[in-house]
Amino acid sequence: MAPKFEWWAKGNNRKGTPVVVKMENPNNWSMVELESPSEQDFLVEGRREKSRNKNARQLTWVLLLKAHRAAGCLTSLGSALIALGTAVRRRIIAGRTDSEISSSSSQANTKSKPRLFYSCLKVFLCLSLMLLAFETAAYFKGWHFETPKLQLQFIFAVSPFGSKGFFDWVYTHWVMLRVGYLAPPLQFLANACIVLFLIQSLDRLILCLGCFWIRFKKIKPVPKASISDLETGENGCFLPMVLVQIPMCNEKEVYQQSIAAVCNLDWPKTKILIQVLDDSDDPITQSLIKEEVHKWQKGGARIVYRHRVNREGYKAGNLKSAMNCSYVKDYEFVAIFDADFQPLPDFLKKTIPHFKDNEELGLVQARWSFVNKEENLLTRLQNINLAFHFEVEQQVNSVFLNFFGFNGTAGVWRIKALEDSGGWLERTTVEDMDIAVRAHLHGWKFIFLNDVECICELPESYEAYRKQQHRWHSGPMQLFRLCLPAVIKSKISIAKKFNLIFLFFLLRKLILPFYSFTLFCIILPMTMFVPEAELPAWVVCYIPATMSFLNILPAPKSFPFIVPYLLFENTMSVTKFNAMVSGLFQLGSAYEWVVTKKSGRSSEGDLAGLVENQEGKKTKHQRGVSAPETDAEKKAQKTSKKKKKHNRIYVKELSLAFLLLTAATRSLLSAQGIHFYFLLFQGISFLLVGLDLIGEQVE
């Protein structure tokens, strides 16, 4: 039984501050105050003195227990640092850099990757290290004061040219060069980025206010045909022909659950056709998907399997090829789901009714929900971003503008809108955004349904997430170059043109990654070595913290991760900036298409629902529970076991980590408080990401 230490007076006349301290073990104790002191305690001197003695003993116990607990925390912190050091050592020994992986790859397009970005980072790093050594020597000479003017006064008063030796002469000219030539352009660039930062923050604030207004007024798209009308066949019997497409490529982890989910859609069997569009170049994966389709065909589902020998155009080419089938003309709508998406059975009943008596409506987009959003820190941070994207950006643009970027999946298109807009084009890696922009220019309207969710999964490794973000940020810049003339010449209103050009493309796709990387990863560390150019504390701390707070509002459970989120977003600005430049200037990496790695996770609740809906059927047809009975499935399992995985070392992130940590060390010399802490923690976050210590850990 845990020992108890109790202090209180006996009887009903007990005074003072009675406290019970319970200690089950040295690291687990609690203190409960039973009663506050009464006024009588301060009237009698004897009682007051006695109360003081009791309180002193109580305070002594509490302080001893807190000291013991603090010692335990220090011990655990030391073990945590040792574990982190071991993990870093293992990464450095077993990891491979991007250049090593690229050289060992047989793909031809990896040779065209630009190395200029990495070379510039190395130049900045070498320069910062040299300046750090230079400034450290000057610091020990006593040449650092709070302002640059005092530095100049001190140098010119004490150390005129040539009188104190070569180092004094070099440092004097360095300060003059700094003041006359380096600080003005650096300050101008910093001010420009601050202006862009404020504009983007204002846009983010307006979006949040719009979302608040939607919630306050309970604005929600209301279909003219309800679900009950579809079930009873009343109100004109709006049961159109629907084509469902599942494009996939070498995604053997998720093909079963996606096919099972689509085959369980609650829609008349005679009015739905499912196309499994397989671009896999792996024969084993092809056979697995084909066998799964045959299983569902035998079960009565209207499903067909299509395979392309040539992957030309990637996903856009796959969808374009499928839409060229002769039987597509019999269908009015097409629903698209990526291979890891698992729509609920009532998905079509919640989306299709919005098209009734609304001939201008071209797209109905549903929201994504994630089965693995709490898997690791990386998925939690992704969930914050995507929750804001759907809850705020997509919903506000849908309600007030009738336009937003198609997310490429979990949406239903009117086939006439696709054909009127020119169909799927293979000119960019963001075919979904491309078709959405062209449909908007032709006058079609969009609706986003925030209350209709489609289950999918988030990338669990940094490598997969990095490649996904590269495609998502290089493609829009490709598209902007291609569609800008069409936007200018289109017949839409000037307000819609302004929204499309400035807000949709420039502000949210180009300016955001530009200032995030330039301001926080380049300008801020450079101001440590050129102190005549300054960044105010509100730019470094307060505005970013406020914007992160607004971003995290749609995902309130993620509030404990607000600081890691802020640091990680700045860390990802390297990838986004590199992708933006690649897409804008049509560099080699802009045309890369890498399928995001999936783990094949399923929702247990949805699995139970499918089993209940499919009584009497074999469980191997259900979502993600097929047993590997065929030779192809057994061979695939053996192949996956033999495949050796490597952790990567990301040289760009590591270069920036050392650049920021060098700048943090320099900021210590000038005692810049908030700048030092930001640079220190931002440098640590770059270091963790550069060593692949975030997300899925591969042994």
Side-chain angles (χ1 to χ4, degrees):
M1 182 176 180
K4 298 182 180 180
F5 303 91
E6 305 174 354
W7 298 273
W8 63 78
K10 297 181 179 180
N12 296 328
N13 296 326
R14 53 190 171 86
K15 305 298 178 183
T17 307
V19 174
V20 176
V21 179
K22 299 181 179 181
M23 183 174 66
E24 297 179 358
N25 57 62
N27 292 323
N28 188 9
W29 58 273
S30 61
M31 180 179 68
V32 182
E33 182 177 339
L34 299 180
E35 184 181 5
S36 300
S38 63
E39 295 180 357
Q40 296 179 358
D41 295 326
F42 303 96
L43 298 178
V44 182
E45 186 68 24
R47 290 181 178 177
R48 184 167 55 188
E49 188 67 26
K50 189 175 181 180
S51 175
R52 287 178 180 175
N53 294 334
K54 294 175 182 176
N55 290 337
R57 286 186 308 202
Q58 296 163 7
L59 182 61
T60 302
W61 271 105
V62 171
L63 291 177
L64 287 174
L65 291 171
K66 284 188 174 182
H68 192 279
R69 192 173 185 179
C73 291
L74 291 176
T75 304
S76 61
L77 181 62
S79 61
L81 291 176
I82 294 175
L84 179 61
T86 304
V88 170
R89 179 176 175 273
R90 186 170 63 248
R91 283 290 186 274
I92 295 175
I93 294 175
R96 296 193 298 172
T97 63
D98 288 341
S99 58
E100 292 172 341
I101 295 176
S102 299
S103 62
S104 63
S105 175
S106 60
Q107 295 181 358
N109 59 358
T110 56
K111 297 180 181 180
S112 61
K113 288 185 177 181
R115 305 292 298 174
L116 179 62
F117 184 65
Y118 176 50
S119 300
C120 293
L121 291 181
K122 287 194 295 184
V123 170
F124 275 111
L125 176 59
C126 295
L127 182 62
S128 66
L129 291 173
M130 181 181 67
L131 290 177
L132 177 61
F134 197 59
E135 295 289 338
T136 303
Y139 175 80
F140 285 108
K141 284 179 171 287
W143 289 354
H144 283 270
F145 293 89
E146 294 182 356
T147 63
K149 292 182 180 179
L150 287 177
Q151 288 183 3
L152 288 176
Q153 292 173 0
F154 180 81
I155 292 173
F156 292 137
V158 180
S159 176
F161 294 155
S163 63
K164 293 292 182 179
F166 179 74
F167 182 83
D168 302 42
W169 181 85
V170 172
Y171 189 77
T172 302
H173 281 75
W174 159 241
V175 174
M176 295 178 62
L177 175 67
R178 213 166 65 187
V179 174
Y181 298 98
L182 298 182
L186 184 60
Q187 187 67 62
F188 175 79
L189 182 59
N191 294 337
C193 288
I194 291 173
V195 171
L196 296 177
F197 184 25
L198 292 177
I199 294 175
Q200 197 272 335
S201 300
L202 180 62
D203 173 63
R204 189 64 54 96
L205 179 61
I206 293 174
L207 287 174
C208 291
L209 292 176
C211 182
F212 173 78
W213 182 258
I214 291 173
R215 284 199 169 190
F216 179 73
K217 291 293 185 178
K218 298 181 180 179
I219 301 175
K220 179 182 176 182
V222 179
K224 294 185 178 180
S226 63
I227 297 179
S228 59
D229 296 332
L230 295 177
E231 293 176 347
T232 59
E234 299 176 357
N235 197 12
C237 298
F238 187 66
L239 293 169
M241 300 287 287
V242 179
L243 181 68
V244 180
Q245 296 177 334
I246 314 176
M248 58 179 63
C249 178
N250 295 326
E251 294 172 283
K252 59 177 177 294
E253 298 87 1
V254 293
Y255 72 94
Q256 290 176 316
Q257 59 198 41
S258 61
I259 293 176
V262 171
C263 288
N264 280 280
L265 288 172
D266 191 4
W267 200 255
K269 297 297 182 183
T270 58
K271 294 182 177 292
I272 186 174
L273 176 65
I274 302 167
Q275 288 181 317
V276 178
L277 311 177
D278 184 22
D279 262 7
S280 304
D281 54 9
D282 177 23
I284 298 177
T285 305
Q286 293 177 24
S287 61
L288 291 174
I289 298 174
K290 189 181 299 184
E291 289 176 7
E292 188 70 15
V293 170
H294 289 162
K295 293 176 185 177
W296 284 99
Q297 286 176 343
K298 293 178 181 178
R302 295 192 66 211
I303 181 172
V304 296
Y305 174 84
R306 283 179 53 84
H307 177 262
R308 292 196 309 160
V309 178
N310 186 2
R311 278 193 67 198
E312 182 179 359
Y314 303 110
K315 182 180 176 181
N318 199 1
L319 295 172
K320 181 178 180 180
S321 174
M323 294 300 293
N324 289 331
C325 297
S326 59
Y327 53 78
V328 172
K329 65 180 184 296
D330 299 328
Y331 295 84
E332 188 176 356
F333 302 99
V334 55
I336 303 172
F337 301 99
D338 281 350
D340 61 314
F341 277 72
Q342 308 168 46
L344 297 177
D346 61 352
F347 181 87
L348 294 179
K349 287 186 175 181
K350 289 183 177 180
T351 54
I352 294 295
H354 290 273
F355 289 98
K356 181 177 174 59
D357 299 331
N358 192 356
E359 296 299 326
E360 295 181 345
L361 183 61
L363 167 68
V364 174
Q365 173 72 59
R367 179 175 179 165
W368 300 357
S369 61
F370 310 104
V371 69
N372 62 336
K373 62 183 178 181
E374 297 181 355
E375 184 65 25
N376 53 43
L377 179 60
L378 179 61
T379 58
R380 290 178 184 271
L381 300 180
Q382 291 179 68
N383 180 58
I384 296 174
N385 259 342
L386 291 171
F388 182 87
H389 170 69
F390 288 109
E391 183 86 12
V392 180
E393 293 179 340
Q394 297 292 74
Q395 188 171 210
V396 171
N397 290 329
S398 170
V399 171
F400 295 105
L401 300 175
N402 279 317
F403 166 73
F404 50 84
F406 175 46
N407 294 118
T409 177
V412 181
W413 277 94
R414 189 188 296 271
I415 294 181
K416 182 180 178 182
L418 292 177
E419 295 173 347
D420 184 45
S421 306
W424 299 103
L425 298 180
E426 305 98 324
R427 58 181 183 172
T428 70
T429 57
V430 284
E431 73 295 326
D432 45 7
M433 187 181 296
D434 188 2
I435 189 64
V437 170
R438 287 185 282 117
H440 180 59
L441 295 180
H442 283 78
W444 292 98
K445 296 181 178 179
F446 304 160
I447 285 180
F448 174 74
L449 302 179
N450 192 51
D451 57 343
V452 179
E453 298 183 354
C454 189
I455 302 171
C456 61
E457 68 174 73
L458 294 164
E460 297 180 8
S461 67
Y462 178 69
E463 178 185 354
Y465 180 62
R466 188 170 181 254
K467 291 179 179 178
Q468 181 197 69
Q469 292 300 303
H470 188 279
R471 188 176 78 247
W472 285 6
H473 285 82
S474 65
M477 290 298 97
Q478 290 178 315
L479 181 60
F480 178 67
R481 288 170 53 99
L482 295 172
C483 72
L484 181 60
V487 174
I488 297 175
K489 296 177 182 178
S490 65
K491 298 180 180 180
I492 61 177
S493 64
I494 296 179
K496 290 184 177 180
K497 290 181 180 180
F498 173 80
N499 170 70
L500 201 58
I501 296 175
F502 180 73
L503 295 179
F504 186 75
F505 278 113
L506 292 181
L507 186 60
R508 298 167 189 166
K509 308 299 181 185
L510 188 148
I511 292 177
L512 177 58
F514 170 77
Y515 87 74
S516 296
F517 172 76
T518 307
L519 187 62
F520 296 110
C521 299
I522 299 298
I523 295 179
L524 178 58
M526 287 297 102
T527 56
M528 298 298 102
F529 300 102
V530 186
E532 291 77 14
E534 297 179 327
L535 280 181
W538 59 269
V539 175
V540 178
C541 179
Y542 306 122
I543 297 296
T546 303
M547 290 301 103
S548 298
F549 177 79
L550 293 177
N551 278 21
I552 214 167
L553 281 178
K557 292 183 179 180
S558 301
F559 269 104
F561 303 95
I562 186 169
V563 174
Y565 171 73
L566 172 61
L567 297 175
F568 183 70
E569 279 302 289
N570 290 334
T571 305
M572 283 304 300
S573 66
V574 183
T575 298
K576 296 176 181 179
F577 177 83
N578 190 22
M580 181 268 293
V581 172
S582 299
L584 192 61
F585 296 102
Q586 301 292 296
L587 302 179
S589 60
Y591 296 96
E592 290 182 352
W593 180 283
V594 180
V595 178
T596 305
K597 179 185 175 183
K598 314 293 192 312
S599 60
R601 301 186 184 276
S602 300
S603 173
E604 295 180 0
D606 299 327
L607 179 60
L610 281 179
V611 173
E612 183 178 352
N613 291 335
Q614 296 292 324
E615 290 184 3
K617 290 187 177 183
K618 295 182 179 180
T619 57
K620 65 181 179 179
H621 285 190
Q622 305 312 317
R623 208 177 287 185
V625 294
S626 296
E629 295 179 351
T630 63
D631 295 336
E633 289 170 327
K634 293 179 180 178
K635 187 176 181 181
Q637 281 192 347
K638 292 180 180 179
T639 304
S640 62
K641 289 180 180 179
K642 292 179 180 179
K643 187 177 180 180
K644 186 178 181 180
K645 298 179 181 179
H646 295 273
N647 290 105
R648 290 195 174 190
I649 295 178
Y650 300 97
V651 290
K652 297 184 183 70
E653 285 78 359
L654 284 180
S655 299
L656 276 168
F658 292 120
L659 173 63
L660 292 168
L661 292 175
T662 303
T665 306
R666 170 62 181 84
S667 69
L668 277 178
L669 302 179
S670 54
Q672 301 189 43
I674 193 66
H675 297 73
F676 165 73
Y677 291 112
F678 182 87
L679 289 167
L680 175 64
F681 291 116
Q682 190 64 71
I684 292 174
S685 67
F686 268 103
L687 185 64
L688 295 177
V689 171
L691 294 174
D692 199 13
L693 292 173
I694 184 172
E696 179 187 56
Q697 300 301 303
V698 181
E699 293 297 336

